[in-house]
């Protein structure tokens, strides 16, 4: 297996032409909600994992936070609108995410969509990324998000959209004619948490070999390596995770504890360590105004945001963009 240091060669070969702008209808017929509880650590855990993702988890296999058929440092607080520096208007961004960032018809062909067939976000205009694009007058190059995706998995894959550190996902964020996005927002990790992928101890400074990447911190590090190599001119923003509620409890929720005896904030802390080691911007969604106490209002199932939850995410992203532009 080749070490990730070979990415310097890849950067030369790919430049910013890694992926064409493939945003169009993904042709999904129906949505596979998470049923991978068996891949999480404990047997009883699997029922909670499925339930935490909208109750449809028993319908089909494939993914955690709402896998679907082919076809989830600067926080904004309570919803005020960030001022838009003039230099932001007309610039571009791409998204590397999971079901929280999907919407049918807005993700690349072959990716999996969660919204609007599930959850309570029924219009693209309600998603966090479309709010950001509209409010800041930005161009969205590619929303490279796939429902049920983890960061961990086979990093050499070129067809599977469910592994965030693989070649398909990290090559698929450029604009028309291979144009580099000005910004890349990475919002991945919730499924790694729900599947109880071990955290590992990579702080973003250790080399990761290509192949089956089994820990979250290794996978996130390798993913960052590839995004930086493919889009060297892009400002990269790493989002921490929203709280995840245990669906088996009465509202208000309590923190969901995975098979590794961890909560979502533990994975968020790993993201912060890796981003800071690279000097990357962090968007701390744990402080955006979505809390365990209000998850019954901000999410439809303890995981997937409602329109109100999407607004809180959007405000955090807009504030981070505006702060970086000043």
């Amino acid at each position: 297996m080749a070490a990730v240091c070979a990415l310097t060669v890849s950067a030369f070969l790919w430049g910013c032409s890694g992926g064409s702008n493939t945003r169009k209808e993904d042709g999904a017929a129906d949505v596979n909600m998470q049923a991978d509880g068996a891949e999480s650590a404990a047997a009883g855990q699997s029922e909670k994992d499925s339930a935490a993702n909208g109750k449809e988890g028993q319908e089909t296999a494939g993914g955690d936070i709402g896998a679907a058929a082919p076809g989830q440092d600067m926080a904004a607080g309570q919803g005020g609108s960030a001022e838009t520096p003039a230099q932001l208007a007309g610039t571009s961004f791409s998204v590397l995410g999971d079901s929280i960032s999907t919407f049918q018809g807005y993700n690349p062909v072959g990716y999996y969509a969660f919204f609007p067939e599930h959850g309570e976000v029924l219009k693209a205009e309600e998603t966090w990324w479309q709010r950001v694009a509209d409010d800041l007058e930005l161009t969205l190059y590619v929303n490279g998000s796939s429902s049920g995706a983890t960061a961990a998995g086979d990093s050499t894959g070129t067809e599977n959209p469910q592994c965030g550190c693989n070649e398909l996902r990290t090559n698929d964020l450029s604009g028309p004619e291979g144009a580099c996005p000005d910004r890349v927002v990475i919002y991945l990790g919730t499924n790694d948490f729900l599947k109880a992928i071990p955290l590992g101890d990579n702080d973003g400074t250790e080399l990761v070999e290509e192949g089956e990447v089994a820990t979250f911190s290794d996978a996130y590090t390798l993913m960052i390596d590839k995004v930086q190599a493919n889009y060297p001119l892009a400002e990269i923003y790493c989002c921490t995770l929203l709280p995840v509620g245990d669906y088996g409890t009465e509202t208000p929720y309590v923190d969901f504890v995975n098979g590794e005896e961890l909560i979502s904030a533990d994975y968020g802390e790993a993201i912060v360590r890796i981003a800071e080691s690279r000097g990357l911007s962090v968007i701390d969604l744990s402080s955006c105004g979505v809390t365990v106490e209000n998850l019954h209002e901000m999410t439809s199932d303890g995981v997937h945001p409602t329109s109100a939850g999407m607004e809180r995410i959007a405000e955090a992203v807009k504030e981070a963009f505006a702060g970086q532009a000043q």
Side-chain angles (χ1 to χ4, degrees):
M1 292 185 291
V4 74
C5 57
L7 286 171
T8 54
V9 177
S10 299
F12 176 78
L13 294 176
W14 293 334
C16 284
S17 60
S20 59
N21 189 2
T22 54
R23 281 175 293 138
K24 55 180 164 178
E25 186 67 35
D26 58 16
D30 50 7
V31 177
N32 311 321
M33 287 300 298
Q34 108 161 323
D36 295 43
E39 295 183 18
S40 296
Q45 183 96 5
S46 63
E47 295 182 357
K48 293 182 179 179
D49 283 359
S50 296
N53 287 280
K55 297 183 181 179
E56 292 99 338
Q58 296 137 5
E59 295 180 6
T60 60
D64 270 68
I65 53 172
Q72 233 152 114
D73 210 344
M74 304 178 74
Q78 303 300 318
S81 177
E83 289 190 23
T84 307
Q87 60 265 43
L88 280 177
T91 60
S92 60
F93 73 108
S94 290
V95 178
L96 179 56
D98 52 33
S99 67
I100 291 173
S101 303
T102 62
F103 199 91
Q104 185 79 15
Y106 287 80
N107 309 114
V109 173
Y111 284 39
Y112 297 76
F114 178 83
F115 297 109
E117 301 215 9
H118 294 274
E120 296 180 9
V121 175
L122 304 180
K123 298 184 294 183
E125 291 78 12
E126 295 179 311
T127 64
W128 71 262
W129 44 269
Q130 192 62 57
R131 292 174 191 260
V132 170
D134 290 344
D135 293 350
L136 299 185
E137 301 178 21
L138 304 180
T139 297
L140 177 63
Y141 273 172
V142 177
N143 184 347
S145 299
S146 187
S147 198
T150 57
D154 181 4
S155 70
T156 64
T158 58
E159 297 182 358
N160 179 17
Q162 301 309 87
C163 171
C165 70
N166 73 15
E167 304 300 310
L168 173 67
R169 296 298 302 277
T170 54
N171 288 357
D172 212 9
L173 302 174
S174 35
E177 300 182 0
C180 280
D182 294 303
R183 297 165 193 83
V184 173
V185 179
I186 299 175
Y187 185 8
L188 269 171
T190 302
N191 285 315
D192 297 86
F193 160 64
L194 288 170
K195 286 189 173 185
I197 301 295
L199 268 182
D201 57 5
N202 196 335
D203 63 357
T205 62
E206 298 176 21
L207 294 178
V208 180
E209 289 190 337
E210 297 278 10
E212 192 66 35
V213 185
T215 69
F216 175 68
S217 59
D218 275 350
Y220 204 93
T221 296
L222 182 57
M223 179 172 61
I224 294 296
D225 284 336
K226 293 182 176 182
V227 171
Q228 288 186 303
N230 287 354
Y231 315 100
L233 302 180
E235 180 72 25
I236 298 171
Y237 297 80
C238 299
C239 296
T240 64
L241 308 183
L242 293 177
V244 173
D246 189 329
Y247 201 87
T249 63
E250 296 181 2
T251 56
Y253 289 103
V254 296
D255 276 311
F256 179 77
V257 179
N258 73 5
E260 293 281 303
E261 298 299 318
L262 300 172
I263 63 174
S264 62
D266 295 314
Y267 288 72
E269 289 173 4
I271 291 170
V272 171
R273 286 194 297 272
I274 294 167
E276 289 182 344
S277 77
R278 302 299 185 88
L280 303 180
S281 299
V282 174
I283 302 174
D284 187 6
L285 297 184
S286 68
S287 302
C288 74
V290 178
T291 66
V292 173
E293 290 74 22
N294 66 18
L295 277 177
H296 56 292
E297 299 172 354
M298 295 295 168
T299 70
S300 60
D301 53 14
V303 178
H304 296 93
T306 59
S307 181
M310 289 288 190
E311 182 178 6
R312 299 297 176 89
I313 298 171
E315 291 300 325
V317 175
K318 288 191 294 182
E319 188 167 321
F321 281 8
Q324 192 69 32
Q326 290 173 346

PDB file of all heavy atoms in Angstrom, residues 223-238:
ATOM      1  N   MET A 223      -8.382  12.063   4.383  1.00  0.00           N
ATOM      2  CA  MET A 223      -9.337  12.852   3.612  1.00  0.00           C
ATOM      3  C   MET A 223      -8.844  14.287   3.454  1.00  0.00           C
ATOM      4  O   MET A 223      -8.888  14.860   2.359  1.00  0.00           O
ATOM      5  CB  MET A 223     -10.702  12.822   4.307  1.00  0.00           C
ATOM      6  CG  MET A 223     -11.796  13.617   3.623  1.00  0.00           C
ATOM      7  SD  MET A 223     -13.402  13.317   4.415  1.00  0.00           S
ATOM      8  CE  MET A 223     -13.088  13.908   6.090  1.00  0.00           C
ATOM      9  N   ILE A 224      -8.359  14.876   4.540  1.00  0.00           N
ATOM     10  CA  ILE A 224      -7.806  16.233   4.477  1.00  0.00           C
ATOM     11  C   ILE A 224      -6.594  16.276   3.561  1.00  0.00           C
ATOM     12  O   ILE A 224      -6.426  17.211   2.754  1.00  0.00           O
ATOM     13  CB  ILE A 224      -7.435  16.734   5.886  1.00  0.00           C
ATOM     14  CG1 ILE A 224      -8.691  16.913   6.749  1.00  0.00           C
ATOM     15  CG2 ILE A 224      -6.664  18.049   5.798  1.00  0.00           C
ATOM     16  CD1 ILE A 224      -9.643  17.962   6.264  1.00  0.00           C
ATOM     17  N   ASP A 225      -5.725  15.278   3.658  1.00  0.00           N
ATOM     18  CA  ASP A 225      -4.562  15.215   2.771  1.00  0.00           C
ATOM     19  C   ASP A 225      -4.990  15.328   1.313  1.00  0.00           C
ATOM     20  O   ASP A 225      -4.409  16.084   0.528  1.00  0.00           O
ATOM     21  CB  ASP A 225      -3.810  13.887   2.952  1.00  0.00           C
ATOM     22  CG  ASP A 225      -2.979  13.823   4.223  1.00  0.00           C
ATOM     23  OD1 ASP A 225      -2.602  14.894   4.729  1.00  0.00           O
ATOM     24  OD2 ASP A 225      -2.719  12.713   4.692  1.00  0.00           O
ATOM     25  N   LYS A 226      -5.982  14.557   0.944  1.00  0.00           N
ATOM     26  CA  LYS A 226      -6.408  14.509  -0.450  1.00  0.00           C
ATOM     27  C   LYS A 226      -7.109  15.796  -0.874  1.00  0.00           C
ATOM     28  O   LYS A 226      -6.890  16.284  -1.985  1.00  0.00           O
ATOM     29  CB  LYS A 226      -7.316  13.301  -0.669  1.00  0.00           C
ATOM     30  CG  LYS A 226      -6.592  11.974  -0.526  1.00  0.00           C
ATOM     31  CD  LYS A 226      -7.512  10.793  -0.792  1.00  0.00           C
ATOM     32  CE  LYS A 226      -6.741   9.487  -0.729  1.00  0.00           C
ATOM     33  NZ  LYS A 226      -7.591   8.314  -1.019  1.00  0.00           N
ATOM     34  N   VAL A 227      -7.943  16.341  -0.013  1.00  0.00           N
ATOM     35  CA  VAL A 227      -8.627  17.590  -0.358  1.00  0.00           C
ATOM     36  C   VAL A 227      -7.616  18.717  -0.523  1.00  0.00           C
ATOM     37  O   VAL A 227      -7.700  19.521  -1.465  1.00  0.00           O
ATOM     38  CB  VAL A 227      -9.690  17.938   0.707  1.00  0.00           C
ATOM     39  CG1 VAL A 227     -10.255  19.331   0.470  1.00  0.00           C
ATOM     40  CG2 VAL A 227     -10.819  16.905   0.687  1.00  0.00           C
ATOM     41  N   GLN A 228      -6.630  18.780   0.371  1.00  0.00           N
ATOM     42  CA  GLN A 228      -5.610  19.820   0.239  1.00  0.00           C
ATOM     43  C   GLN A 228      -4.784  19.637  -1.025  1.00  0.00           C
ATOM     44  O   GLN A 228      -4.410  20.626  -1.675  1.00  0.00           O
ATOM     45  CB  GLN A 228      -4.702  19.821   1.467  1.00  0.00           C
ATOM     46  CG  GLN A 228      -5.360  20.368   2.714  1.00  0.00           C
ATOM     47  CD  GLN A 228      -4.389  20.496   3.875  1.00  0.00           C
ATOM     48  OE1 GLN A 228      -3.758  19.517   4.278  1.00  0.00           O
ATOM     49  NE2 GLN A 228      -4.269  21.690   4.425  1.00  0.00           N
ATOM     50  N   ALA A 229      -4.492  18.390  -1.380  1.00  0.00           N
ATOM     51  CA  ALA A 229      -3.709  18.140  -2.583  1.00  0.00           C
ATOM     52  C   ALA A 229      -4.497  18.465  -3.844  1.00  0.00           C
ATOM     53  O   ALA A 229      -3.964  19.029  -4.802  1.00  0.00           O
ATOM     54  CB  ALA A 229      -3.252  16.680  -2.615  1.00  0.00           C
ATOM     55  N   ASN A 230      -5.779  18.118  -3.855  1.00  0.00           N
ATOM     56  CA  ASN A 230      -6.602  18.330  -5.048  1.00  0.00           C
ATOM     57  C   ASN A 230      -7.022  19.778  -5.242  1.00  0.00           C
ATOM     58  O   ASN A 230      -7.211  20.220  -6.378  1.00  0.00           O
ATOM     59  CB  ASN A 230      -7.864  17.467  -4.967  1.00  0.00           C
ATOM     60  CG  ASN A 230      -7.593  16.006  -5.189  1.00  0.00           C
ATOM     61  OD1 ASN A 230      -6.476  15.615  -5.523  1.00  0.00           O
ATOM     62  ND2 ASN A 230      -8.609  15.182  -4.989  1.00  0.00           N
ATOM     63  N   TYR A 231      -7.183  20.510  -4.131  1.00  0.00           N
ATOM     64  CA  TYR A 231      -7.700  21.881  -4.204  1.00  0.00           C
ATOM     65  C   TYR A 231      -6.792  22.806  -3.400  1.00  0.00           C
ATOM     66  O   TYR A 231      -7.179  23.350  -2.363  1.00  0.00           O
ATOM     67  CB  TYR A 231      -9.149  21.921  -3.682  1.00  0.00           C
ATOM     68  CG  TYR A 231      -9.971  20.788  -4.244  1.00  0.00           C
ATOM     69  CD1 TYR A 231     -10.215  19.640  -3.495  1.00  0.00           C
ATOM     70  CD2 TYR A 231     -10.450  20.839  -5.556  1.00  0.00           C
ATOM     71  CE1 TYR A 231     -10.926  18.572  -4.033  1.00  0.00           C
ATOM     72  CE2 TYR A 231     -11.165  19.778  -6.096  1.00  0.00           C
ATOM     73  CZ  TYR A 231     -11.391  18.654  -5.333  1.00  0.00           C
ATOM     74  OH  TYR A 231     -12.094  17.597  -5.876  1.00  0.00           O
ATOM     75  N   PRO A 232      -5.558  22.982  -3.858  1.00  0.00           N
ATOM     76  CA  PRO A 232      -4.555  23.697  -3.056  1.00  0.00           C
ATOM     77  C   PRO A 232      -4.884  25.166  -2.825  1.00  0.00           C
ATOM     78  O   PRO A 232      -4.345  25.770  -1.901  1.00  0.00           O
ATOM     79  CB  PRO A 232      -3.268  23.535  -3.878  1.00  0.00           C
ATOM     80  CG  PRO A 232      -3.732  23.284  -5.280  1.00  0.00           C
ATOM     81  CD  PRO A 232      -4.996  22.504  -5.145  1.00  0.00           C
ATOM     82  N   LEU A 233      -5.744  25.744  -3.640  1.00  0.00           N
ATOM     83  CA  LEU A 233      -6.091  27.152  -3.472  1.00  0.00           C
ATOM     84  C   LEU A 233      -7.339  27.363  -2.629  1.00  0.00           C
ATOM     85  O   LEU A 233      -7.707  28.503  -2.333  1.00  0.00           O
ATOM     86  CB  LEU A 233      -6.289  27.798  -4.850  1.00  0.00           C
ATOM     87  CG  LEU A 233      -5.092  27.735  -5.799  1.00  0.00           C
ATOM     88  CD1 LEU A 233      -5.421  28.421  -7.122  1.00  0.00           C
ATOM     89  CD2 LEU A 233      -3.863  28.350  -5.167  1.00  0.00           C
ATOM     90  N   ALA A 234      -8.002  26.279  -2.253  1.00  0.00           N
ATOM     91  CA  ALA A 234      -9.257  26.390  -1.510  1.00  0.00           C
ATOM     92  C   ALA A 234      -9.011  26.587  -0.021  1.00  0.00           C
ATOM     93  O   ALA A 234      -8.106  25.995   0.562  1.00  0.00           O
ATOM     94  CB  ALA A 234     -10.101  25.144  -1.727  1.00  0.00           C
ATOM     95  N   GLU A 235      -9.838  27.415   0.587  1.00  0.00           N
ATOM     96  CA  GLU A 235      -9.884  27.524   2.040  1.00  0.00           C
ATOM     97  C   GLU A 235     -10.753  26.375   2.543  1.00  0.00           C
ATOM     98  O   GLU A 235     -11.902  26.225   2.116  1.00  0.00           O
ATOM     99  CB  GLU A 235     -10.492  28.859   2.465  1.00  0.00           C
ATOM    100  CG  GLU A 235     -10.589  29.076   3.959  1.00  0.00           C
ATOM    101  CD  GLU A 235      -9.234  29.328   4.605  1.00  0.00           C
ATOM    102  OE1 GLU A 235      -8.313  29.790   3.906  1.00  0.00           O
ATOM    103  OE2 GLU A 235      -9.108  29.058   5.813  1.00  0.00           O
ATOM    104  N   ILE A 236     -10.229  25.550   3.448  1.00  0.00           N
ATOM    105  CA  ILE A 236     -10.944  24.369   3.913  1.00  0.00           C
ATOM    106  C   ILE A 236     -11.502  24.619   5.308  1.00  0.00           C
ATOM    107  O   ILE A 236     -10.787  25.101   6.196  1.00  0.00           O
ATOM    108  CB  ILE A 236     -10.020  23.138   3.915  1.00  0.00           C
ATOM    109  CG1 ILE A 236      -9.548  22.853   2.488  1.00  0.00           C
ATOM    110  CG2 ILE A 236     -10.736  21.916   4.492  1.00  0.00           C
ATOM    111  CD1 ILE A 236      -8.466  21.794   2.400  1.00  0.00           C
ATOM    112  N   TYR A 237     -12.771  24.293   5.477  1.00  0.00           N
ATOM    113  CA  TYR A 237     -13.462  24.464   6.753  1.00  0.00           C
ATOM    114  C   TYR A 237     -13.915  23.095   7.251  1.00  0.00           C
ATOM    115  O   TYR A 237     -14.580  22.356   6.519  1.00  0.00           O
ATOM    116  CB  TYR A 237     -14.686  25.362   6.602  1.00  0.00           C
ATOM    117  CG  TYR A 237     -14.378  26.773   6.187  1.00  0.00           C
ATOM    118  CD1 TYR A 237     -14.113  27.077   4.859  1.00  0.00           C
ATOM    119  CD2 TYR A 237     -14.362  27.810   7.116  1.00  0.00           C
ATOM    120  CE1 TYR A 237     -13.831  28.374   4.457  1.00  0.00           C
ATOM    121  CE2 TYR A 237     -14.082  29.115   6.726  1.00  0.00           C
ATOM    122  CZ  TYR A 237     -13.814  29.391   5.401  1.00  0.00           C
ATOM    123  OH  TYR A 237     -13.537  30.677   5.007  1.00  0.00           O
ATOM    124  N   CYS A 238     -13.572  22.769   8.475  1.00  0.00           N
ATOM    125  CA  CYS A 238     -13.940  21.478   9.059  1.00  0.00           C
ATOM    126  C   CYS A 238     -15.027  21.695  10.116  1.00  0.00           C
ATOM    127  O   CYS A 238     -14.812  22.429  11.082  1.00  0.00           O
ATOM    128  CB  CYS A 238     -12.728  20.818   9.711  1.00  0.00           C
ATOM    129  SG  CYS A 238     -11.384  20.460   8.549  1.00  0.00           S
TER     130      CYS A 238
END
